[in-house]
Amino acid sequence: MSSQTSASKLSRNSARHSSFGAIQEWCKTTSGFEGYSELGHFRISVYESGIIRIQASKYDDFEVNPYSVINGPQEVDFSLLEKGGQLQLTTSLIKLNLDLNSFNLSFYNADDSLLNADDSLGISWIGSEVTAYKQVQKNEKFIGLGEKTGNLDRFGRAYTNWNTDYFGYGIGDDPLYMSIPFYIGVHEKGSYGIYLDNTHKTVFNFGASTNRFVYFSAEDGDLDYYFIYQPTVSEIISAYTSLTGRMQMPPKWALGFQQCRYSYYPDSEVYTVAQTFRDKKIPADVIYLDIHHMEGYKVFTFDGEKFSDPKTMITRLKEKGFKVVVIMDPGIKTQRGYLPYDEGLEKDLLVKYPDGKTYEGQVWPGWCAFPDFTKEETRSWWAEKMAFYTDAGVDGFWTDMNEPASWGQFTPNLIEFEYEGEKASHRKARNIYGMQMARSAQEGSTFQNPDKRPFVLTRSGFAGIQRFAAAWTGDNVASEEHMLAGVRLVNSLGLSGVSFAGYDVGGFAGEATQSLFARWMSIGAFSPFYRAHSMINSNDAEPWAFGEEVEEISRNYIKLRYRLLPTIYSKFYSSSISGLPISESLAIQYPQDENIYLTAFQNEYLFCDALLIAPVESTKEITKVYLPEGDWYYLFSDQKHSGNYVIYQDCPLNYLPVYVKAGQIFILQSDVSHTGDQRDGILRIHVYMGKSGSEFTHYEDAGDGLEYQSGGYFKRIITYNPEFESLKFAQAEGSYSGDFEKIKIYFHGFSTESVSIGGKIHSLKTEDYAFLGKLTEFDPLPENEHPYFEIKNLPYLELEHMKEAFEIKDLA
């Protein structure tokens, strides 16, 4: 009776708030300090001068997520001082104050400006759920958190991290397919980042249903988060990716246009799609094979009737300049005699119940078992099985349904995963399952083709997914609202370390109108990942399927995308080094500008640093655009605008509002039909006059293979300095000879008629220049004529492309 009463009392108490409580003892460690309260154990570790890890547990041992953080604490100078009931840890960037009586934490920068502080409720538990309650600073904004719908500023909403298969999700629905528990707080005294390193279901509440605090919580496990401070938002993102890793350089073909459908079959249809791209002179690099390429939707099979000779088919596609990407779902049909299932059972590689029975869920093939990708042996086995595809010539891999998804959408929580030897239930393993499948696909691609760069596309992931795969935003809908929501999702992923991301252009579910598809194609041309996709039992949705006008608009923007590839590829290189996004929310460079958070302007973003993209619905003929600080040029006409202003911009269907920041540089190549096509050997460099200059890193390599890792690249810094009226080309680095024999430099906004190089005067020539081709007037009625922009008498200078350093002077 006594023990039952005690147990009952304990159960009731566990359902109430229990704070971490006063610190009873503590000691200094090599990287910080740790100690105990009556309730639990804590550890505070300095990882870098701007990164401090906070761990709190009710147990003596701390839980570890073995998948996301890849770097440990660095040797960093810090001081520790106890004074007046406070313990202060100080690095060169952060001052952390811990109240020994309450375990409340406050974070300051080196100027003693408060960045972030706990609410008086601090860190606490309700049962197994652990929460950190935080004060809201004056006018604080919250950005990031990965693949989350809603506004750029997350304030006023709560979000759940629980990877979910969500077909046709609404533009405000949550959760979706991917969980990245990292956000950035922005207020007038500075910005900071918080990454919660807990793989259980977590909640981030930024002021929904409360005006007292914001909080983040996990349904189980420890409170384990990294506090990140740097002077700028871009440096905070770089610091976060120094923890969780950065993308590898992808193969160049993965940056071209990619065509997908659920599904292209039989092989004759695949041939037809490929040939039509070439016949219509629409550039493209990739064709996807969705689930109908398989026999009964079983992974590691081809349907012998629809695809009787896949190797020959893929060879023929390669002859046309196409790469092939196949879908891989995790579900293994539980069919005796089906080798992957038999091997999975025999080698103990499948997810199981606690009593050892194999877990089964229904997916496309029927009842399926699921490989345990949290087990090293399973990942190695999957890598070996991928020979089935690589032997046929497959180039890339698309991991889908890897939340994991199953019919019924209610996976039992008691199923167990190896979790690198720790053993974990579905509650702890679900959010990292998709990332580990993507990891397996990447490792398998490398194992099968060690001299090629892997390309993996994933629907599901967790913090660190950028190391293994590109991401796309799942089963979106063909609507104006979804088109703009996709832009925000990709920008938010970029704020969260995932640089290589995109959406299904045209919408996966539903039917795009002609105008919607045309507009989406133009926006998608300025996305890191550029793929059109549509579902079964819908109308054709290739660029030529919407009439002649839409076909020409699509061709124009795809061709512009391919001309921009030297800029895009260079930016991918920079991103692989810095972790910064290719599609960059304006909140990164202009975090204190209130206008960028307004719903009218929150979709705007910078693409490859130089280009400001203002996405707009296809139904609008004129739109408002906010241009931030600085001067801006309308890309297509060179019309100049002052920043910190809202302008009205005509936006006919064939002209997406795009602007170039004054002082910036970007580079183009000639038209090509695919990334492996022959260029004309001329690199076109566009320089825009401005009061402030810029630095552009031009990067080239073979576009595939790993030689770039051992010096096989061409890299040079091009610097525009308006103060000295100069354009400086640094000495090129690397052993790669480069793809261009000549350079043609276009000078936008300059009045000079000649420049000097090494004391020698060079007269500039001029030409009329257009970034987009003129549309054919299919309808002869004059009211249906399309606008056409051409920059008249644009000055340029043509030179040999030499590796040696040189400087162009007298730019005025």
Side-chain angles (χ1 to χ4, degrees), residues 37 119 122 185 218 226 337 437 531 577 587 613 624 642 664:
S37 71
D119 180 83
Y226 294 79
M437 183 184 179
R531 182 182 80 157
I577 301 300
I613 315 301
K624 291 194 296 184
S642 298
Q664 289 288 319

Side-chain angles (χ1 to χ4, degrees), residues 664-680:
Q664 289 288 319
I665 302 166
F666 63 87
I667 58 179
L668 278 73
Q669 64 181 9
S670 61
D671 285 331
V672 291
S673 62
H674 56 88
T675 54
D677 200 6
Q678 189 68 36
R679 309 168 190 83
D680 69 358

Side-chain angles (χ1 to χ4, degrees), residues 116-119 122 131-137 140 142 154-157 183 192 194 203-208 210-217:
N116 176 268
D118 287 352
D119 180 83
T131 304
Y133 296 94
K134 296 286 187 178
Q135 298 175 15
V136 182
Q137 304 307 309
E140 186 166 9
F142 303 94
R154 306 295 188 191
F155 186 73
R157 281 200 59 181
Y183 76 90
Y192 64 89
I194 286 180
V203 170
F204 285 72
N205 186 333
F206 298 112
T210 177
N211 62 2
R212 173 172 173 174
F213 46 62
V214 297
Y215 69 80
F216 48 90
S217 65

Side-chain angles (χ1 to χ4, degrees), residues 99 139 143 151 190 195 232 249 279-280 333 364 382 407 425 427 486 525 608 638 664 770 772:
D99 188 322
N139 200 27
I143 59 177
N151 293 325
Y195 165 54
T232 65
M249 275 300 286
D279 290 344
K280 291 181 173 291
K333 185 174 178 62
W364 299 116
W382 191 267
W407 309 155
S425 75
R427 292 205 313 166
C608 295
D638 267 2
Q664 289 288 319
L772 295 175

